[in-house]
Amino acid sequence: MHAQSPTTTPAAAASRPVIVRCLRLEKRYGTGESATYALRGVDSTIFRGEFMAILGPSGSGKSTYFNMIGALDSPTAGRVLIDEVDVAQLSASELAFLRCRKIGYIFQSYNLIRYMTALENVMVPMTFAGVSPETARRRGMELLELVGIGHRWQHRPIEMSGGQQQRVAIARSLSNKPMILLCDEPTANLDFKTGAEILEILRQINRERGVTVICATHDHRLLDICDRMMWVRDGRIDRVDERKDVKITVGRMGGQE
Amino acid sequence: MKDIVAREQVRLSAWKCLRLSLTGMSFRLGRSIITVSILALAVAFLSYMITYGLISHDTRLAAGRELEDERLLGEFSTRLTSPDSADTILANLNSTDEKAAARRAEYERWSQTASLEEILRIARQLDAFGLYIRQLPVTKRAVLTGDMEEDSILALARSLGSAARLDSFLKHLNASGEVPMPGSEEEFRRLIQSGVPLLAGWIEAVQKGQLVAIARVQSATAGQDIKTLLAGSTAGFTSTLEDAGFHSTPEMHTRLRRLAQHALEEEKLRHALTQQEVRYALARKSGLKAPQIDMAAVLPWITSARRADDAAACLSPAGIGLSAAQLLAMADRKRRTDALRNVAGASFSGAGDRLSPREGIFAFDAGTRWLIGVSFIVCAVGVANAMLMSVTERFTEIATMKCLGALNSFVMQIFFFEALVQGMVGGLAGLILGTFLAVVRSAAEFGTLAFHNIPYADLFSGGLAAWLVGLALAAGAAISPVWMAARLAPMEAMRME
Ligand SMILES: Nc1ncnc2c1ncn2[C@@H]1O[C@H](COP(=O)(O)OP(=O)(O)OP(=O)(O)O)[C@@H](O)[C@H]1O
Ligand SMILES: [Mg+2]
């Protein structure tokens, strides 16, 4: 279980608790001729409380990886361990518990429930967790205020712009105070200023509450906030960098923009 | 420090699930209304078929009975003039209806048999043999029965009386390789050789007894016309009939008297219409052509008291003493009989089956059952389609809910409740629509007759059945795809669409 993954230095592995670990993770979509390998043997380690950025070109397998470590899809081969427990060993009820309270998800395509208002969408995970409607409503409003669309609480997804929907999705992901926050391109549809605000929220959550944030992105501002960055290419992890080591790299990439 | 995993997710109460699914439905009201309407149409179709089937069946049956009642006079007169035929007697021995029971009591008296048990047993055996012969293929039957009249099983059985014929018959039967005969060959031989002669002897005794009875009635009434006697129906005549052994009840006599009076009135009218001056007078009044004037033309023309007065005036030279009121009543009776005949002859399924009383709500004739079966399938397809459509477009929603920590049981419950509510509302709407249409059609087809014999209890159970069928189908059709989606990992469900 503690097999050395190539992306972890022995010193780091020994010193810090691991929260998500992947072992030889593979994911194939389809079968036979049309089979596509989205992940081809990924070993990764994410430490408790860190801010991990996942970077890579489109189609490299970021969303697939995200679904695997979020226990939302079953891998073709390999294992996912959350807090050193193999996700495949969990019962349906335990999985639901995990998804409901311990992990917050911000999906690339938001996945809001169409017929619910912004507030109701935010309240869904709290309802599943058995939180009383009054508390859920109050907390939901607070979270909507936090992401800056408190005044829009009565609107349905179709009545909102992409960016507004994304902010509802962010508020929803925080509703049960998760230990892990999984974000798939949380700033993709936001203007520069709002994007910065959202990144600031993510940073705060990470620094102040100690929530582990795993964030797939193309937004290079994130590189300033994150602790480490994982480069994904063709379903494999290219390399993992500590941010302090790549200060220069960021500058160079920023120059390219 | 492990503080993430390994606890059970809370279960939401059914009440909470119901509330959530009601909120969901009210948000998607437009879509729900479409689903509910399709459900309503499907259930309407089924309940229409059941309701119309029930009303038309019972109306036609009642019409048939009423018509049969009219034949009572003819039947009774026949029995007072000539003995029943051997086949009629045999049929009455095997029939279970009330009339046949009355006949059997008469036979018992006329034949002076202490117990009918043995005779009834033979009759039953013979009946079974007849059924067997009738289900054989035509060619087989021709070989077996030769030139015998196969309608009369008694005649056939009697023709096998000689040992040679019986042997050859059995040989043919065994060689034919058809379904084996009921009972053993031994039993059959016994039936033909001793049973049938016994039965035939008994039947002859009955017929002789009936002839004696007829003679007694005739001598007592000094050869008066039976219809006239019945129309008068004196206590003396009633007791004469009873003494001769004819089964009768006071109720039957009242009916017979009424029928006989009607028949006499009709005879008078028919007679009057043969006279030239009456015909011309009526032709002038009614605008019909003189050669056309007969009962069938005149009675339909008498539609009002005014016309009845005119007709009575025209008929007065004939001196038959029919009043306007009598004429109008006669015309009304004829109209009713015609209507009954139309209704009784009309066939829902077009199969022209003989109607028999229903036992329960679905025990219709074969044709109607078939139609209801088809409408059930139409209903099932409609409901399943509506529910499948409304569920499959929501796989993303199911997947999202699972991503956010919904238990399978929760997903199942809210979809189940939704299907249930939709099924109940749609089913109810469909039930009202279907019943309404069925009543309208029955009224159009059978007129007021339709409302004399409404089987309320059965209509209620039929409606309830249609409603429950809609409900069960809706729930089933919604739940099976949801179960498929809910079982999967969330992202697999997301990809299912
Ligand atoms: N349902 C699917 N069926 C077949 N192939 C799939 C499916 N989902 C993803 N893929 C393939 O898997 C690979 C990885 O997809 P993934 O969505 O993980 O990429 P990504 O890194 O998230 O891309 P993006 O940055 O555009 O979001 C791609 O080649 C994609 O075509
Ligand atoms: Mg992606």
Side-chain angles (χ1 to χ4, degrees):
Chain A
M1 190 168 283
H2 286 273
Q4 286 300 310
S5 65
T7 54
T8 321
T9 57
S15 62
R16 299 172 64 183
V18 176
I19 195 155
V20 181
R21 189 197 297 277
C22 298
L23 300 171
R24 308 243 131 255
L25 200 59
E26 280 179 29
K27 180 65 182 179
R28 185 187 63 216
Y29 290 114
T31 47
E33 295 279 301
S34 62
T36 338
Y37 276 89
L39 295 178
R40 308 159 186 265
V42 169
D43 289 286
S44 69
T45 311
I46 291 160
F47 299 116
R48 185 179 284 265
E50 79 172 328
F51 197 126
M52 171 71 98
I54 300 170
L55 298 132
S58 184
S60 55
K62 298 186 296 296
S63 295
T64 309
Y65 176 72
F66 172 95
N67 292 340
M68 294 298 144
I69 59 176
L72 298 180
D73 205 349
S74 40
T76 311
R79 292 197 293 166
V80 176
L81 305 163
I82 296 178
D83 217 7
E84 302 300 355
V85 175
D86 191 340
V87 168
Q89 309 287 315
L90 295 179
S91 72
S93 179
E94 287 166 337
L95 273 176
F97 180 87
L98 178 73
R99 290 173 192 146
C100 183
R101 302 168 200 233
K102 298 301 170 184
I103 309 182
Y105 305 90
I106 304 167
F107 298 96
Q108 191 167 15
S109 47
Y110 325 133
N111 291 358
L112 297 178
I113 295 178
R114 281 183 303 137
Y115 57 83
M116 290 187 181
T117 62
L119 178 62
E120 281 160 345
N121 263 293
V122 177
M123 284 164 66
V124 167
M126 292 190 269
T127 308
F128 291 156
V131 175
S132 77
E134 299 77 47
T135 319
R137 179 169 283 272
R138 205 190 60 240
R139 243 192 92 62
M141 282 309 292
E142 282 170 17
L143 286 167
L144 287 175
E145 298 288 352
L146 180 75
V147 293
I149 48 166
H151 59 291
R152 289 283 200 155
W153 66 276
Q154 263 182 321
H155 290 236
R156 307 259 158 76
I158 35 165
E159 298 157 356
M160 290 189 281
S161 71
Q164 287 167 331
Q165 290 184 46
Q166 194 153 32
R167 283 187 276 175
V168 177
I170 294 167
R172 182 178 69 182
S173 72
L174 299 174
S175 60
N176 279 333
K177 303 189 176 128
M179 307 273 299
I180 305 172
L181 195 58
L182 285 172
C183 326
D184 203 351
E185 319 235 0
T187 54
N189 286 295
L190 301 180
D191 60 82
F192 187 82
K193 184 169 155 287
T194 325
E197 281 166 21
I198 295 300
L199 290 181
E200 176 54 24
I201 293 168
L202 292 181
R203 199 192 63 81
Q204 266 179 24
I205 287 165
N206 174 250
R207 297 286 187 277
E208 288 164 20
R209 299 196 196 149
V211 173
T212 312
V213 179
I214 305 165
C215 194
T217 192
H218 295 291
D219 190 341
H220 290 126
R221 284 172 296 177
L222 202 81
L223 303 184
D224 286 332
I225 308 171
C226 70
D227 299 315
R228 289 197 300 158
M229 49 204 85
M230 181 188 288
W231 300 86
V232 185
R233 189 180 298 277
D234 285 337
R236 287 203 181 79
I237 294 178
D238 229 13
R239 60 175 201 281
V240 176
D241 296 325
E242 296 277 337
R243 186 181 50 145
K244 47 187 184 296
D245 301 339
V246 288
K247 265 265 157 30
I248 326 127
T249 327
V250 176
R252 188 172 56 95
M253 289 183 79
Q256 274 180 350
E257 266 180 349
Chain B
M1 179 180 81
K2 281 191 190 172
D3 51 7
I4 290 196
V5 191
R7 273 180 45 201
E8 299 279 317
Q9 173 70 307
V10 287
R11 263 172 197 283
L12 297 182
S13 67
W15 170 236
K16 205 158 201 174
C17 294
L18 177 62
R19 278 219 330 248
L20 280 171
S21 81
L22 284 176
T23 340
M25 253 186 294
S26 64
F27 281 127
R28 284 172 293 104
L29 203 58
R31 190 66 190 76
S32 272
I33 286 173
I34 296 176
T35 312
V36 167
S37 317
I38 301 176
L39 276 172
L41 281 180
V43 172
F45 190 54
L46 183 59
S47 78
Y48 166 77
M49 283 296 180
I50 294 177
T51 308
Y52 177 68
L54 283 167
I55 293 182
S56 81
H57 182 278
D58 287 15
T59 307
R60 281 159 52 219
L61 196 67
R65 287 228 175 100
E66 209 175 318
L67 284 175
E68 199 151 298
D69 226 39
E70 312 253 296
R71 284 199 287 273
L72 188 67
L73 183 66
E75 273 171 29
F76 199 76
S77 315
T78 312
R79 279 195 302 127
L80 283 177
T81 41
S82 61
D84 294 0
S85 75
D87 289 317
T88 308
I89 294 176
L90 184 62
N92 280 331
L93 285 178
N94 283 316
S95 166
T96 49
D97 74 24
E98 236 171 276
K99 260 195 205 158
R103 290 297 82 77
R104 280 200 292 276
E106 289 173 349
Y107 297 159
E108 211 168 337
R109 282 194 288 275
W110 292 330
S111 66
Q112 295 170 336
T113 330
S115 156
L116 274 187
E117 225 165 87
E118 176 67 5
I119 297 297
L120 285 173
R121 198 183 54 74
I122 297 168
R124 255 200 312 280
Q125 257 183 318
L126 201 56
D127 195 44
F129 171 60
L131 279 177
Y132 170 71
I133 292 285
R134 248 167 279 143
Q135 57 84 41
L136 289 177
V138 187
T139 47
K140 289 275 150 56
R141 219 156 52 199
V143 171
L144 283 171
T145 57
D147 51 0
M148 270 314 304
E149 215 188 309
E150 50 185 78
D151 292 340
S152 167
I153 198 64
L154 187 65
L156 175 64
R158 288 180 76 172
S159 78
L160 299 176
S162 79
R165 273 227 55 182
L166 183 56
D167 285 340
S168 91
F169 178 85
L170 282 172
K171 211 175 81 203
H172 278 307
L173 195 63
N174 292 337
S176 74
E178 289 297 328
V179 204
M181 205 162 52
S184 66
E185 196 180 303
E186 187 64 24
E187 266 175 337
F188 182 63
R189 277 177 189 280
R190 225 176 314 130
L191 172 69
I192 295 295
Q193 286 173 338
S194 61
V196 170
L198 187 69
L199 181 66
W202 179 84
I203 286 176
E204 268 167 39
V206 168
Q207 287 170 327
K208 265 190 207 131
Q210 190 171 2
L211 269 176
V212 172
I214 291 167
R216 279 178 66 180
V217 173
Q218 276 173 354
S219 74
T221 57
Q224 266 183 283
D225 176 46
I226 293 166
K227 256 182 237 144
T228 319
L229 282 169
L230 284 172
S233 202
T234 55
F237 180 58
T238 314
S239 63
T240 308
L241 288 177
E242 265 161 30
D243 290 344
F246 285 99
H247 173 84
S248 67
T249 58
E251 185 229 349
M252 195 172 107
H253 276 291
T254 329
R255 235 181 317 156
L256 279 171
R257 184 166 66 204
R258 192 170 42 79
L259 289 171
Q261 283 164 354
H262 294 166
L264 288 177
E265 283 172 14
E266 270 167 42
E267 258 168 34
K268 280 187 200 164
L269 179 62
R270 195 173 290 120
H271 175 72
L273 288 181
T274 55
Q275 300 181 9
Q276 285 294 344
E277 56 182 311
V278 173
R279 294 168 73 92
Y280 283 120
L282 271 172
R284 263 196 310 281
K285 275 282 173 218
S286 66
L288 294 163
K289 289 199 178 72
Q292 287 175 347
I293 296 285
D294 61 2
M295 295 262 287
V298 170
L299 285 179
W301 175 74
I302 306 176
T303 49
S304 62
R306 176 102 162 266
R307 284 186 177 180
D309 283 338
D310 288 347
C314 296
L315 287 169
S316 61
I320 49 164
L322 277 177
S323 71
Q326 275 174 317
L327 282 171
L328 188 58
M330 209 187 297
D332 284 342
R333 272 201 309 277
K334 176 156 170 54
R335 271 189 284 276
R336 180 163 179 91
T337 312
D338 286 347
L340 287 172
R341 210 162 270 145
N342 270 340
V343 168
S347 167
F348 177 28
S349 55
D353 299 317
R354 275 280 293 281
L355 281 179
S356 44
R358 291 180 294 109
E359 287 162 20
I361 52 168
F362 296 120
F364 296 111
D365 52 300
T368 311
R369 260 207 303 273
W370 191 81
L371 277 179
I372 287 177
V374 169
S375 56
F376 170 78
I377 292 170
V378 171
C379 174
V381 171
V383 170
N385 205 42
M387 295 316 289
L388 276 177
M389 264 166 48
S390 80
V391 166
T392 45
E393 66 184 19
R394 291 172 65 195
F395 280 164
T396 341
E397 188 188 325
I398 296 176
T400 307
M401 286 188 172
K402 287 211 63 178
C403 287
L404 300 178
L407 288 170
N408 291 352
S409 61
F410 170 80
V411 177
M412 302 287 289
Q413 272 184 68
I414 61 164
F415 276 86
F416 181 72
F417 282 137
E418 178 160 340
L420 223 52
V421 171
Q422 288 178 336
M424 283 198 285
V425 173
L428 205 62
L431 200 58
I432 292 168
L433 181 67
T435 309
F436 174 74
L437 290 178
V439 168
V440 167
R441 178 171 169 191
S442 309
E445 204 166 328
F446 308 129
T448 49
L449 283 177
F451 300 101
H452 292 316
N453 299 286
I454 296 181
Y456 289 103
D458 286 341
L459 283 184
F460 180 78
S461 0
L464 192 67
W467 188 65
L468 287 178
V469 161
L471 204 58
L473 284 171
I479 278 305
S480 45
V482 171
W483 172 235
M484 266 168 50
R487 255 177 7 179
L488 299 172
M491 283 301 156
E492 279 167 17
M494 191 83 83
R495 286 193 293 268
M496 246 173 84
E497 239 173 304

